[in-house]
Amino acid sequence: MPKTDRWSVADNLDLKMVIGGKRLEASNGARIETEDPATGRVIGSFPAATADDVGRAVENSRAALKGEWRSMTPTARGRVLARAAAILRREAERMARIETLDSGKPLREAKGDMETSASYFEYYAGMADKLQGDSIPLGPDYMSFTLHEPVGVTAHVIPWNFPLTTTARGVAPALAAGCTAVVKPAALTSLTSLLMADILDEAGLPAGVYNVVSGHGSEAGAALVAHPDIAHVTFTGSVRTGQGIMKTAADHVASVTLELGGKSPVAVLADADLDAAVEGTLKAIYMNAGQVCSAGSRLVVERKVHAEMMDRLVARVSAMQPGHGLDDAAIGPMVSADQVKIVSDYVEDARRSNSLNVLVGGRRLAPAGMEKGHFYAPTIIDDAPADARVVQEEIFGPVLTVQIVESPEEVVAIANGTPFGLCAGIYTRDITRAMAFARDVDAGQVFINQYFAGGVPTPFGGTKLSGFGREKGLAALSSYYRVKCITTRL
């Protein structure tokens, strides 16, 4: 995109929240400005919802649950979701550019996010009329069967790194099951979740089925999770916030799906295809500037190929040029100055506490013309001990830590050596060893000879501190319906 046209997409991005199909300001008039992370320039704003606003949204969603949405057939609900997918694809270019301006990610990644988001609505459109129950054989004198009913009003607390895809990932199965949804997007990146309301409205979704209350987590998010009429909370974010949400939801016995942090290993054995391993490792850690919960942020490499892997990775990382997302740079900015500081503090602590070898990167950047942007150099920290903070804690930035093993037998123990268990990858030509790794590693998803494999149909979620419950695929639907058993004597 020519730089002279860069800001044209940002016109009219002073948005309003959505309650009952109406675009509204916050009850106290407060607004939040959002900036382009590459330049620090303000590109739009949106309301900072109050607890009263959240209460109105939940009440409206509860009313919508009993209205037109309830009377629609599952097939009709599916058609609404299918239309939403088609409209989102029609608007994908504009939505991707807005996502890039709001989050900083390269345009190619934002375009991929729009297609993934459309695919969620398309996939669950096909499932809306297939949530059928079972018959239970109790003998000739009884008839017993089950129904799948929507759980009710669902809350979706969205992270800032994948604003629209995470919204679609939770909302699409919730709507397919017949629920209504109240979405609280992240205060840093709310634009596309708010604009999705226009797409769903055009698709024929009844007013109030999809409400969006933008604002701060401390007020809008907390009020949403604590509301007694919320039946299920789907949350993606930090471990600490997730723990708080689970405690709050327990007060009114709401179920929760928690997709929390990760410190996922990418294991490379000596017999691996190193070309594939290098490509997979780069994608695993530097996509979206490392701001991915499922990022492969730990490289667990067998010593026999360690030196060659490092030579290849350092050469490739050194050549990555940071830049504006709309210019589709190799790596874009981080989402905020605060996030850059967090990453920088981790790397400096590694230098101080462990005297670790930073092979490349390890510094803030200020590309020409974007000196106020939030850039951090893609970084590799070599031969990190198992107890180092950069190994044990989620950094959430473009920092790859390397752990060396002497033999394949050590890999599983090292891979399992953190409190997290979200994803894991392995590169090896030995399929038996790969499958044994997949069996023994603590992870909700395992990738063999690739990373970020699968897609919308593949269940996603973690173990240990990475959370519980599953999103994506058929498994996600079980969060949004309850089973009712009906039995009669004949």
Side-chain angles (χ1 to χ4, degrees):
M1 182 180 185
K3 292 184 178 180
T4 54
D5 296 332
R6 173 172 290 159
W7 307 114
S8 61
V9 74
D11 293 344
N12 301 316
L13 289 182
D14 292 321
L15 305 180
K16 296 181 180 181
M17 62 184 176
V18 182
I19 300 177
K22 298 179 180 179
R23 277 56 178 172
L24 303 172
E25 295 288 354
S27 55
N28 62 1
R31 294 185 68 83
I32 299 170
E33 291 184 334
T34 188
E35 67 175 21
D36 169 12
T39 64
R41 169 178 172 155
V42 173
I43 60 167
S45 65
F46 45 84
T50 65
D52 287 341
D53 297 324
V54 170
R56 280 192 290 274
V58 175
E59 181 180 355
N60 191 274
S61 285
R62 189 180 180 192
L65 186 69
K66 300 176 181 179
E68 180 184 355
W69 190 234
R70 181 178 183 178
S71 64
M72 288 179 70
T73 66
T75 300
R77 288 202 303 267
R79 288 174 182 150
V80 171
L81 298 185
R83 286 194 294 269
I87 296 166
L88 181 52
R89 287 194 173 105
R90 185 193 74 198
E91 299 296 325
E93 182 74 19
R94 174 174 174 265
M95 291 285 280
R97 292 182 181 278
I98 292 170
E99 195 81 294
T100 288
L101 276 174
D102 204 20
S103 69
K105 65 179 60 183
L107 185 59
R108 64 184 178 280
E109 295 181 13
K111 288 181 177 179
D113 288 356
M114 296 308 109
E115 174 56 30
T116 299
S117 299
S119 295
Y120 281 122
F121 285 102
E122 185 174 61
Y123 179 85
Y124 290 107
M127 293 309 304
D129 59 358
K130 299 172 182 66
L131 295 177
Q132 56 196 33
D134 299 306
S135 62
I136 302 165
L138 296 179
D141 295 330
Y142 289 90
M143 181 176 291
S144 185
F145 59 95
T146 61
L147 301 177
H148 290 177
E149 299 181 334
V151 295
V153 182
T154 61
H156 303 261
V157 183
I158 308 301
W160 46 258
N161 56 335
F162 287 92
L164 192 59
T165 54
T166 312
T167 299
R169 187 175 74 186
V171 168
L175 299 187
C179 298
T180 57
V182 180
V183 174
K184 210 300 286 182
L188 288 170
T189 54
S190 291
L191 299 181
T192 51
S193 293
L194 288 162
L195 290 169
M196 189 67 209
D198 296 325
I199 291 173
L200 289 167
D201 180 59
E202 184 179 342
L205 190 74
V209 176
Y210 177 87
N211 290 323
V212 189
V213 283
S214 53
H216 297 290
S218 57
E219 183 164 7
L224 179 60
V225 172
H227 199 287
D229 288 332
I230 291 295
H232 180 83
V233 180
T234 296
F235 170 75
T236 300
S238 71
V239 174
R240 179 174 295 180
T241 303
Q243 290 168 330
I245 284 174
M246 186 162 57
K247 293 174 182 176
T248 300
D251 288 339
H252 56 282
V253 198
S255 56
V256 295
T257 297
L258 299 179
E259 198 263 279
L260 308 179
K263 197 68 182 178
S264 300
V266 180
V268 178
L269 305 189
D271 68 343
D273 177 343
L274 293 191
D275 290 335
V278 167
E279 294 301 325
T281 301
L282 291 169
K283 180 181 179 182
I285 183 57
Y286 298 121
M287 186 178 77
N288 199 22
Q291 300 167 121
V292 183
C293 54
S294 54
S297 55
R298 291 188 294 137
L299 175 61
V300 181
V301 59
E302 199 170 348
R303 188 176 294 279
K304 292 176 183 177
V305 293
H306 167 255
E308 185 175 356
M309 279 290 292
M310 292 306 100
D311 288 345
R312 292 193 186 195
L313 287 172
V314 168
R316 291 286 298 278
V317 171
S318 298
M320 294 175 72
Q321 293 298 311
H324 200 287
L326 289 181
D327 296 327
D328 217 17
I331 190 166
M334 305 199 69
V335 74
S336 67
D338 287 344
Q339 198 63 27
V340 172
K341 184 178 186 307
I342 289 170
V343 173
S344 180
D345 287 349
Y346 268 108
V347 175
E348 293 309 310
D349 178 72
R351 284 182 168 127
R352 277 192 315 271
S353 303
N354 301 95
S355 300
L356 294 183
N357 183 17
V358 179
L359 296 182
V360 64
R363 67 188 189 281
R364 303 182 191 212
L365 300 175
M370 291 173 279
E371 291 81 4
K372 293 183 180 180
H374 312 311
F375 291 89
Y376 196 84
T379 300
I380 299 175
I381 300 175
D382 195 23
D383 197 10
D387 61 352
R389 285 185 67 220
V390 290
V391 169
Q392 292 296 319
E393 299 179 18
E394 185 178 43
I395 299 173
F396 222 67
V399 179
L400 178 68
T401 59
V402 181
Q403 295 175 270
I404 304 172
V405 295
E406 302 298 333
S407 69
E409 288 71 29
E410 298 178 45
V411 169
V412 169
I414 295 297
N416 288 342
T418 77
F420 299 99
L422 191 52
C423 294
I426 186 168
Y427 286 83
T428 176
R429 289 184 169 89
D430 186 334
I431 189 61
T432 300
R433 197 177 294 280
M435 294 305 292
F437 173 85
R439 177 195 64 200
D440 296 334
V441 73
D442 292 331
Q445 282 196 328
V446 182
F447 311 123
I448 297 175
N449 291 325
Q450 55 194 324
Y451 204 85
F452 292 135
V456 171
T458 54
F460 176 70
T463 65
K464 302 192 291 189
L465 288 188
S466 291
F468 57 84
R470 292 295 178 265
E471 300 193 77
K472 300 171 50 176
L474 298 180
L477 289 161
S478 62
S479 294
Y480 301 107
Y481 67 77
R482 57 178 176 239
V483 176
K484 177 185 285 184
C485 184
I486 300 172
T487 304
T488 181
R489 186 180 182 92
L490 298 180

